[in-house]
Amino acid sequence: MTTYYTSDLHFGHLNIIRFCDRPFAGVGDMDAALVRLWNETVTEDDTVWVLGDVALGSLADSLANIGRLAGRKILVPGNHDRCWEGDRALRKGEPDARERRRAKEHERYLAAGFAEIHDRPEPVAVGNATVELSHFPYEGDSHGADRFVEYRLADRGGWVVHGHVHDTWRQRGRQINVGVDAWGGRPVSAATIAGLIADGPRDLEPLGWA
């Protein structure tokens, strides 16, 4: 039983191929490769924390990929997930209506194959360290100025495991990006993250796609 972390799969998102220079001819090839790389890495006995931005486009099609992925999957929503607490559609109207919409979106992602959804999970133990989990790093973005700053964790001197920045870095200081664009398309094991933490704060470039 192993715990893994990943982020920013962007199932069904054609433009991400160009934005992040993913080596695929189209969405079908990309989605199939993401499923294959995941299932080559993860077993049914493992747990995977998915730190946001799972699927775009037609969710009826793109979210269907979740059911093809091995292991127990826990979602920490990102800014491209319809169940994210900051989604504009979920913040419109009266509080009761917002709660109903939010519950409906949560059910959609749970039905797709997630076991749990946590907007702001408690810190977790990774090796000998305690780390924060979030879609967002403490600071930095995939392009331009930092976005969604009101949803970012405060940097109190600890480590954060995150996504959002795609191929901008693999590690920057005490920020470890587990996005697929930084790790050759594969989830990252807790042991690998523990090793990075043990080596201390530094900057690491993304790995190439498998």
Side-chain angles (χ1 to χ4, degrees):
M1 295 172 60
T2 301
T3 299
Y4 291 89
Y5 301 88
T6 192
S7 184
D8 298 279
L9 293 104
H10 281 244
F11 283 120
H13 186 198
L14 178 62
N15 285 338
I16 200 67
I17 297 173
R18 175 170 53 87
F19 292 158
C20 293
D21 197 26
R22 294 187 179 184
F24 305 110
V27 164
D29 289 342
M30 177 182 72
D31 290 358
L34 286 168
V35 171
R36 175 179 58 79
L37 292 167
W38 177 301
N39 290 338
E40 287 177 357
T41 307
V42 177
T43 74
E44 290 295 347
D45 294 327
D46 298 332
T47 295
V48 186
W49 286 83
V50 181
L51 305 184
D53 288 9
V54 175
L56 284 84
S58 170
L59 291 190
D61 296 325
S62 55
L63 273 182
N65 288 292
I66 302 305
R68 303 181 180 110
L69 303 174
R72 183 173 184 269
K73 299 167 283 286
I74 304 173
L75 175 63
V76 179
N79 56 288
H80 284 298
D81 297 313
R82 304 276 181 87
C83 60
W84 178 50
E85 62 180 331
D87 187 89
R88 284 180 293 180
L90 298 182
R91 291 187 285 125
K92 294 179 180 178
E94 297 298 319
D96 287 349
R98 294 200 300 268
E99 287 302 314
R100 287 194 297 271
R101 283 196 296 271
R102 187 93 185 281
K104 184 177 180 180
E105 292 299 339
H106 269 234
E107 285 303 318
R108 187 197 323 215
Y109 282 76
L110 292 169
F114 285 103
E116 301 174 25
I117 299 173
H118 297 274
D119 290 314
R120 301 189 180 213
E122 293 294 317
V124 300
V126 178
N128 296 321
T130 299
V131 305
E132 304 264 20
L133 301 179
S134 176
H135 176 65
F136 304 103
Y138 294 136
E139 61 180 10
D141 214 296
S142 55
H143 57 275
D146 288 3
R147 297 168 291 162
F148 312 111
V149 292
E150 66 271 32
Y151 296 101
R152 296 183 184 227
L153 298 172
D155 183 356
R156 297 186 174 90
W159 290 79
V160 64
V161 175
H162 65 89
H164 187 64
V165 298
H166 293 280
D167 54 0
T168 308
W169 70 74
R170 183 162 41 112
Q171 180 178 341
R172 178 173 289 179
R174 291 174 286 99
Q175 304 180 131
I176 299 174
N177 169 31
V178 293
V180 294
D181 296 292
W183 290 90
R186 297 178 185 271
V188 187
S189 71
T192 297
I193 292 172
L196 295 177
I197 293 172
D199 288 338
R202 57 181 171 161
D203 291 352
L204 293 176
E205 294 296 318
L207 301 177
W209 275 81

